[in-house]
Amino acid sequence: MTIAPLQALPLEQLRRRSSTKWRTYPEDVLPLFVAETDFPLADAITERLRTAVELGDTGYTPPDPGIRDAFAAYARRRFGWEVQPSRIRSTCDVMMGVVEILRAVLKPGDRVIVAPPVYPPFFDCVEEAGGVVERVPLIDIDGSWLLDLNGIEQALAGGARAVLLCNPHNPTGTVHSRAVLARLAEIAAAHGAVVVSDEIHAPLVQPGMHYTPFLTASPVAAEIGYAVTSASKAYNLAGLKCAVMVTASEKTDAVVRALPEEVEWRTGLFGALAAVAAWSPESDAWLDSLLAALDHNRRLLAELLAEHLPDADYRIPDAGYLAWVDLRGLGWGDDPAGRILRDARVALNRGPTFGAEGRGHVRFNLGCAPEVLTEAVHRIAALLRG
């Protein structure tokens, strides 16, 4: 059965929004940078939040607003992942969960492995937790981005105490295989290290690609891993503040349960209400339509670049709505997003912020109308002619 793609809202309506995407730049700029999408909310989310506003239900978040059961059911239904609700704890957002877990398992100055190019806040949150970043870049093999397991093993043998994993990976859209994740767990366990896995992009894995939650990769992964995720990326709820920390062993569960009570108190009530609605079966059809829209756009970008910017290097991502594009062939320097913003009036994420491996790259946000994406590429291509 063919699924109709979700339709983005018109630009004139989107420009009435007050979020970062629509308030950072003037109206002549097409904003394809920060990870916000241009689609209407799922109906179940809209209805739940409308009811809360009508009731004046704007107080403190209760001890269990339904998040645990909702996420456990969602994980089983969408991913085949059996999660014990008792091993789920909420917090404000994914990066806060990552920081608090790292802070609990590290000593000041411990090294934490990250795999750049990677989501820029990874670098900051390691430092916030008292750790030191150890870079083990992804490796490019036969057109695929892979974790450098040999490099990770060397770093752990040299004293690194944790791996901060992005699964699926941002910005490349890579979905790590079960075999790779299981081997990562073995390596970490052999050196007494832990893996903290940011899995916020999991709902956005395209049909035909198999997402493996890190905690399910192997019994070893279950023992040494922590997963942190949220409905915020897929369902565009970043401003409402709710994420979950998930464990699969008594030892890791004890670490999360020992976190300060304030970590859970920071969960936003509207975030919790929206997450429960997002993870409900009523929102599944909306998510499937979103995936169809993103599938169209990720392929459209490939066509547009091939026609108008043939020297750009782009690999269609397996997951997410973020596209990692290498523009070094255009000769626009280490930070081409600066010139593109100034001269084409298109805002993209700046590649060097993802690590040194991002020099000459940009990150496109594909969560928009096809017409907006087309206009953005046309504007950028015009720079070649001007």
Side-chain angles (χ1 to χ4, degrees):
M1 181 179 68
T2 302
I3 298 172
L6 194 62
Q7 298 298 304
L9 296 169
L11 275 175
E12 57 269 22
Q13 184 173 345
L14 291 166
R15 292 195 185 281
R16 293 168 54 197
R17 289 181 173 180
S18 56
S19 61
T20 292
K21 185 173 185 180
W22 300 100
R23 287 293 180 266
T24 300
Y25 298 107
E27 287 196 4
D28 66 326
V29 173
L30 290 179
L32 300 182
F33 67 116
V34 68
E36 299 178 22
T37 57
D38 297 353
F39 303 99
L41 293 178
D43 288 344
I45 297 173
T46 300
E47 289 304 313
R48 187 64 189 89
L49 295 176
R50 179 182 290 119
T51 299
V53 171
E54 289 172 350
L55 293 173
D57 188 8
T58 53
Y60 292 109
T61 307
D64 183 11
I67 295 172
R68 299 184 186 98
D69 288 339
F71 180 75
Y74 181 81
R76 181 184 309 112
R77 190 174 69 252
R78 299 293 301 195
F79 311 135
W81 178 14
E82 294 293 335
V83 178
Q84 294 184 32
S86 63
R87 288 182 171 165
I88 299 171
R89 192 173 184 193
S90 70
T91 189
C92 179
D93 55 40
V94 166
M95 285 299 98
M96 180 173 290
V98 167
V99 167
E100 295 299 338
I101 291 170
L102 287 176
R103 188 176 280 141
V105 299
L106 298 177
K107 298 190 298 293
D110 279 350
R111 285 177 283 133
V112 179
I113 296 167
V114 300
V118 74
Y119 183 50
F122 270 31
F123 303 104
D124 297 330
C125 75
V126 169
E127 294 181 1
E128 184 181 348
V132 175
V133 172
E134 176 137 352
R135 300 167 62 261
V136 181
L138 296 178
I139 52 177
D140 182 359
I141 298 180
D142 297 328
S144 297
W145 296 105
L146 301 173
L147 293 172
D148 181 359
L149 294 176
N150 290 332
I152 290 172
E153 186 165 24
Q154 292 175 13
L156 291 170
R161 307 310 305 148
V163 179
L164 179 50
L165 176 69
C166 201
N167 176 43
H169 194 85
N170 174 9
T172 65
T174 300
V175 177
H176 304 298
S177 71
R178 180 180 298 274
V180 165
L181 296 176
R183 179 59 185 147
L184 174 63
E186 290 177 2
I187 294 168
H191 295 283
V194 303
V195 176
V196 181
S197 185
D198 170 358
E199 308 204 346
I200 197 170
H201 294 272
L204 297 169
V205 174
Q206 284 291 334
M209 298 302 305
H210 182 70
Y211 154 68
T212 301
F214 179 76
L215 299 182
T216 72
S218 69
V220 175
E223 288 295 321
I224 58 95
Y226 302 83
V228 191
T229 190
S230 173
S232 65
K233 199 68 65 183
Y235 300 89
N236 206 41
L237 305 174
L240 301 185
K241 297 303 179 184
C242 176
V244 291
M245 301 170 287
V246 185
T247 56
S249 74
E250 291 185 7
K251 182 178 180 180
T252 53
D253 183 52
V255 170
V256 172
R257 297 217 162 272
L259 295 176
E261 185 177 350
E262 187 63 27
V263 172
E264 194 158 17
W265 266 105
R266 292 169 185 160
T267 307
L269 177 58
F270 273 28
L273 299 175
V276 170
W279 291 330
S280 72
E282 288 75 16
S283 295
D284 282 356
W286 181 94
L287 180 58
D288 292 337
S289 292
L290 172 66
L291 288 170
L294 299 180
D295 183 35
H296 178 270
N297 279 359
R298 65 181 183 148
R299 298 177 190 280
L300 174 62
L301 181 61
E303 296 170 4
L304 290 167
L305 293 176
E307 179 178 357
H308 300 287
L309 292 166
D311 290 327
D313 183 13
Y314 162 62
R315 302 171 193 176
I316 295 177
D318 301 327
Y321 52 81
L322 304 169
W324 189 236
V325 183
D326 183 351
L327 298 182
R328 287 176 293 181
L330 302 181
W332 289 353
D334 287 345
D335 190 11
R339 178 181 179 184
I340 290 169
L341 175 61
R342 182 186 68 241
D343 297 336
R345 308 307 284 163
V346 177
L348 306 174
N349 282 107
R350 308 172 77 151
T353 64
F354 295 81
E357 295 73 17
R359 291 172 183 158
H361 291 68
V362 294
R363 193 187 75 174
F364 276 78
N365 181 336
L366 303 176
C368 59
E371 296 78 14
V372 171
L373 184 59
T374 301
E375 172 65 16
V377 174
H378 285 171
R379 289 189 187 189
I380 296 168
L383 299 183
L384 296 177
R385 301 190 296 271

